[in-house]
Amino acid sequence: MKIVKKVLSKLFIFLFLSAALLVTLGPFLWVFFASFQTNREILSFTLGFPSGLNIKNYAKALQIAPIAQYYHNSIIVTFFGIIFNLLIMSMAAYVLSRFQFKMQGLIRTMFSMGLLIPGAALLLPLYTSVSTVRLYDSVWGLIVVYVGFGIPTTLFILSSYYRTIPREMEESAYLDGAGFVRTYLYVILPLAKPAFATAGVMQFLLCWNEFQFALTLTTGHQSRTLPIALYYFQSAFASDYGAMFAAVVLVSLPSIIVYVILQKQVVSGLVAGAVKG
Amino acid sequence: MKIKKRWVILFLLPGVLWFAFVYLFSIIQVGVTSLCEWRIAGEITFKGFDNYVQIFRSADFRRALLNNVIWIVLQSTVHVLFGVIFALIVSRGKRYSGFFRTVYMLPNIISSAALGMLFYNIFNPMYGPVNKLIQALGFKDFRANWYADTRLSFFAVTLTWLPFAAIVAILVIAELAAIPDSILEAAIVDGAGELALIWHIKLPLVRSAIGTGTILAATSMLQKLDILAMTSNGGPGNRTMNLPLLIYKTAFNTNNFGMANAQGVVLILVGLLSIGIINKVYRMNEPV
């Protein structure tokens, strides 16, 4: 009886993990290999390794859509989206987690409420607000929106880390005659580096992957980001499957690389961002 | 610690202003103009709850709302179950655990637009591997056009998110790791088997992590504009329409801004209601 149970549980685990592997890794491997295949090979479904390292599809993908330009836009949006978000929230999280003052609870609750609002409800109002300040169809419009969307998660990650820094660190700095700003810059910030890495990775994923606002707030090549390239060129790629797969790989690869390298930060960021929400 | 007030204000101001611009103004605008007649380049005039009456009369809206509710329920149950089972298996710390944790996360880490494009191709009627596999299994004439077929599109869209429960799994794994070994050992000494251990010890102790995961899973169903835009585009007809895509179409194709914002208010309320219900079910405000 015990052995039967054991075999059954092993079988269940094996089947479950195999299914998980098939549905998660399967599609990725297929697209990756197919991105090196010719149209003919793709149509006849020669699963597995392509006949050679055929990088023509990648050259063609770059030709069909201005992917290089979109890469450039995505990098700018992501870079400033991370910098400004960390800058404003590291200051806000510091005073919110370190000092007592009126309205503290109110401001903290307000920031957390961001997590309760589905982004799609804000599509139209942000379209009108961003147009009003003349940032429609500009990478800066996207940056403003993404910095705002990152506020709750970054706040949770940074303030829970600030709370682990012993108060004696600041007190001794004050005794040495350092002022408020100096203490923050030279004592607190260097200690909080790991939290900045975590919050930065989460903000990277947000800015690099975001679709619906990139679709709504931009209209030209000079401001569109990578996820939008896939949308606009779905029909342009329609007859050239290999190039379409190459484009998918080009868009996804940065996120996958960042995740594989910084897996620990992504996991702790997800846990910290979720538990408080 | 005694500090000057102006530093507190100065440090908070950029964040508060930024939040106000992105969230507060937007929410006020959504709420107020949902009660107004407002089309592109038109005057904004108050007209009470007319927009709400109209959206609930529209078949597209009712379908989108119904779909959203179905997807929320499926995601809060089936999807969460996948995540919990995965977490229980992987947290046993076998050699393969790390590999599976990394791989399972991949669909959640790339842009949803890319994931949508991936599935659009997987289910392609001509060259997609799904049809090819079914044909290879003996159904030689099988030629389903998944995202264009009324009977299949809902299923094919659901498959783009239902199996990928890595975020639920991560939360549960973190909580499982925090269970003290002494509790588990005591239960084993008392003769608890593997299943009893899971059912009576582990699951009750990770209840709030499952609750949090369920909230994330449910609310993620309120933002799937990207995957729909890349696969079925809400079709055929309105078969796979959801609220986000409908809001986008109402605002930027029909240009009826007042009505789009009324739909936005409903979307926010559906989110808050789901969170409230899940909170109750998992008794998230009580200690374990």
Side-chain angles (χ1 to χ4, degrees), chain B residues 125 130-132 134-135 139-144 146 152:
Chain B
V130 171
N131 276 6
K132 296 272 181 192
I134 295 175
Q135 286 160 12
F139 305 91
K140 287 215 167 51
D141 299 322
F142 190 85
R143 275 196 179 67
W146 294 86
L152 298 173

Side-chain angles (χ1 to χ4, degrees), chain A residues 168-181:
Chain A
E168 288 78 37
M169 305 295 291
E170 282 142 297
E171 274 154 17
S172 64
Y174 286 132
L175 284 181
D176 290 346
F180 181 79
V181 178

Side-chain angles (χ1 to χ4, degrees), chain A residues 31 43 110 121 124-125 128 144 149 167 180-181 209 211-212 216 234 241 244-245 248 259 263 270 274, chain B residues 1 7 18-19 23 29-30 102 105 109 111 117-118 121 126-127 129 132 212 225-226 230 252 257 275:
Chain A
V31 160
L43 280 169
M110 181 186 84
L124 184 57
T128 50
V144 167
F149 284 164
R167 282 185 189 278
F180 181 79
V181 178
N209 292 338
F211 177 84
Q212 54 188 4
T216 313
Q234 205 173 15
Y241 318 123
M244 175 156 63
F245 298 155
V248 173
Y259 168 64
Q263 196 172 354
L270 281 170
Chain B
M1 229 177 299
W7 286 125
W18 214 300
F19 187 89
Y23 281 103
Q29 194 198 320
V30 171
T102 307
M105 193 68 190
I109 227 67
S111 166
M117 189 85 145
L118 208 63
N121 285 301
M126 264 199 314
Y127 56 80
K132 296 272 181 192
T212 310
L225 187 152
D226 30 25
M230 299 303 295
F252 301 107
F257 289 2
I275 295 172

Side-chain angles (χ1 to χ4, degrees), chain B residues 7-23:
Chain B
W7 286 125
V8 171
I9 294 172
L10 222 59
F11 268 51
L12 278 173
L13 207 56
V16 170
L17 289 179
W18 214 300
F19 187 89
F21 180 80
V22 172
Y23 281 103

Side-chain angles (χ1 to χ4, degrees), chain A residues 86-119:
Chain A
L86 292 186
L87 197 71
I88 63 166
M89 289 324 285
S90 73
M91 293 171 17
Y94 179 58
V95 291
L96 279 175
S97 59
R98 237 12 184 194
F99 306 100
Q100 249 115 56
F101 51 91
K102 259 188 282 174
M103 313 247 291
Q104 185 180 29
L106 183 77
I107 292 175
R108 180 172 268 288
T109 313
M110 181 186 84
F111 281 147
S112 334
M113 292 235 300
L115 286 182
L116 301 179
I117 309 297

Side-chain angles (χ1 to χ4, degrees), chain A residues 143-170:
Chain A
I143 292 167
V144 167
V145 170
Y146 295 164
V147 167
F149 284 164
I151 284 177
T153 307
T154 305
L155 173 74
F156 295 150
I157 295 169
L158 292 184
S159 52
S160 63
Y161 197 87
Y162 284 146
R163 266 187 236 115
T164 65
I165 299 174
R167 282 185 189 278
E168 288 78 37
M169 305 295 291
E170 282 142 297

